[in-house]
Amino acid sequence: MIKFSIIIPVRAINDYVKESLENIKKLDYKNFEVFIITDGRDSYDPGWDKVKVLVSGNVGPGLKRNLGAKKATGDVLAFLDDDSYPRADWLTNAAKIFEDSKIYALGGPAVTPDNAGYLERMSGWLYSSVVMSSRINYRYIPSEKMLVDDYPSVNLFVRKKAFEEVSGFVTEFWPGEDTKLCLDLVKKYGRKFPYDPEVLVYHHRREIFKPHLKQISRYGQYRGQFARVFPQTSRIPIYFLPSLFFLGLTLGFFLIFLFPILTPIYILSLIIYAVGVSSAASRVAKIEKDHPEAFFDFFKGAFLTHIFYGANFLIGIMKKPRLELKKFDNKTGNYVEG
């Protein structure tokens, strides 16, 4: 019977982590252990022998996950974010997939919780919408089974042996350490790994607008830098589209004064964009019928998301790449050059 080691990095114990533990207790698969890795700014006794609390000091999530993996005794590492929690059949469904010894990793959707507040739900609608996430919106809503080569650590399984073979997470990147891990795994095994909609967790979102846009800005910068140094996973057209929109919107505004012949093209492009976003906003507004502001909030959120992500992607792609990456060797507990 496969044993799972659930690893949750967190700065300090918070209500989200406690919520996650309460739901982990409800899992219908019982062969697992849990590691919570904190900065150590507070003491916490979960009162459950399956849970071990490790103190890492003030370090990043990648290093916290590496430390948890080093202590893990399970066959498969199951990574969660501190603000996510699993559905009851999460490990049961994952165990069925890992019965195939060729499976080295697995990803599943991270869905906005049903009990989320309005501002959090709006952020969730943005992430799950095609107008924002395009074809990778399967990360935020259940979709069909597929093979993937890049997946976020909010709901990511890695066989421990495979994790050790690639020396775990690099620690220089955050966010983005999960993208690098997936790249290393795919290169090691020469094939992609499965995504399954039934391996589901719930993930709290950052509320719109300021917290959401702050998170999106970080994502944009790391993806831009990765597009420069790791083209295998990040030099993909969909990641460039928000930047093209940002450049077209800003530069186009000035170009139409220099070249008036371009004005109809500029206006038509804006109309097409507005129609596309309005269509998505209308669908959300029908669901959020108790909030008449939902249409405007979604439209504004989509527009600002594209602008903030697009601008920060360009900042990231212009940053000097990190050439010396260090990895954590889970066997020795030391860092090695990546």
Side-chain angles (χ1 to χ4, degrees):
M1 187 178 188
I2 295 171
K3 181 178 180 180
F4 291 91
S5 296
I6 302 171
I7 297 174
I8 309 173
V10 60
R11 288 187 175 181
I13 300 300
N14 55 51
D15 290 340
Y16 284 148
V17 174
K18 294 176 183 178
E19 178 187 36
S20 187
L21 282 178
E22 287 303 311
N23 282 276
I24 289 171
K25 289 179 180 178
K26 300 174 184 177
L27 290 172
D28 54 21
Y29 188 96
K30 302 303 180 182
N31 194 17
F32 66 87
E33 61 187 355
V34 183
F35 292 93
I36 300 175
I37 306 94
T38 78
D39 285 1
R41 289 178 287 179
D42 52 7
S43 59
Y44 176 62
D45 180 7
W48 189 19
D49 58 4
K50 280 186 176 289
V51 181
K52 299 177 180 64
V53 179
L54 306 179
V55 176
S56 64
N58 186 17
V59 299
L63 177 52
K64 283 183 164 72
R65 294 188 182 100
N66 286 343
L67 293 173
K70 185 175 185 294
K71 297 290 186 180
T73 62
D75 307 293
V76 176
L77 309 175
F79 296 105
L80 290 175
D81 282 359
D82 65 328
D83 54 356
S84 66
Y85 62 90
R87 195 171 67 182
D89 59 357
W90 181 54
L91 292 185
T92 297
N93 294 332
K96 294 175 183 177
I97 295 170
F98 277 102
E99 287 176 358
D100 182 347
S101 61
K102 294 181 181 179
I103 301 299
Y104 63 86
L106 169 68
V111 178
T112 305
D114 294 335
N115 64 351
Y118 169 73
L119 295 179
E120 183 182 339
R121 292 200 306 274
M122 290 307 298
S123 179
W125 288 123
L126 288 169
Y127 275 111
S128 62
S129 173
V130 173
V131 300
M132 176 175 156
S133 297
S134 186
R135 63 180 178 84
I136 64 169
N137 69 335
Y138 59 82
R139 296 178 177 180
Y140 314 108
I141 53 175
S143 185
E144 70 276 3
K145 295 180 181 181
M146 66 184 79
L147 295 176
V148 296
D149 60 5
D150 181 11
Y151 211 78
S153 55
V154 64
N155 187 12
L156 177 65
F157 294 80
V158 183
R159 206 177 285 274
K160 186 178 181 183
K161 180 182 177 182
F163 188 83
E164 291 176 341
E165 286 176 338
V166 298
S167 299
F169 289 98
V170 297
T171 59
E172 278 72 10
F173 292 108
W174 181 79
E177 75 282 1
D178 39 16
T179 289
K180 183 61 168 63
L181 173 68
C182 291
L183 174 61
D184 292 341
L185 288 167
V186 171
K187 287 173 63 177
K188 170 71 178 177
Y189 287 91
R191 62 182 186 275
K192 297 180 180 181
F193 56 92
Y195 159 93
D196 193 294
E198 295 304 316
V199 184
L200 185 147
V201 305
Y202 296 94
H203 188 204
H204 288 285
R205 312 298 183 192
R206 302 293 190 270
E207 293 184 347
I208 59 169
F209 290 96
K210 187 176 179 180
H212 169 83
L213 294 174
K214 183 178 180 181
Q215 183 180 56
I216 281 294
S217 297
R218 288 200 306 266
Y219 288 167
Q221 285 201 32
Y222 108 74
R223 187 61 73 177
Q225 189 174 46
F226 273 36
R228 178 171 176 169
V229 297
F230 302 127
Q232 300 95 322
T233 59
S234 300
R235 200 170 294 174
I236 300 172
I238 61 170
Y239 293 135
F240 287 81
L241 290 177
S243 294
L244 292 176
F245 173 73
F246 171 75
L247 291 173
L249 182 70
T250 53
L251 297 180
F253 180 78
F254 295 101
L255 286 175
I256 61 175
F257 289 100
L258 296 175
F259 306 100
I261 195 173
L262 297 177
T263 301
I265 298 175
Y266 183 77
I267 294 175
L268 180 61
S269 298
L270 290 180
I271 291 174
I272 293 173
Y273 174 84
V275 169
V277 176
S278 294
S279 177
S282 296
R283 290 193 291 270
V284 171
K286 289 180 181 178
I287 299 171
E288 296 286 352
K289 55 187 177 182
D290 293 334
H291 294 271
E293 70 275 25
F295 178 93
F296 177 75
D297 283 344
F298 182 93
F299 192 102
K300 179 181 175 182
F303 176 78
L304 291 176
T305 294
H306 290 144
I307 294 298
F308 275 72
Y309 185 99
N312 280 280
F313 183 93
L314 294 174
I315 293 171
I317 208 168
M318 291 186 290
K319 276 187 175 181
K320 183 179 179 180
R322 302 174 187 268
L323 299 177
E324 296 182 2
L325 298 179
K326 293 181 179 180
K327 293 182 178 180
F328 188 82
D329 189 328
N330 285 275
K331 294 180 179 179
T332 65
N334 298 317
Y335 283 98
V336 296
E337 295 301 320

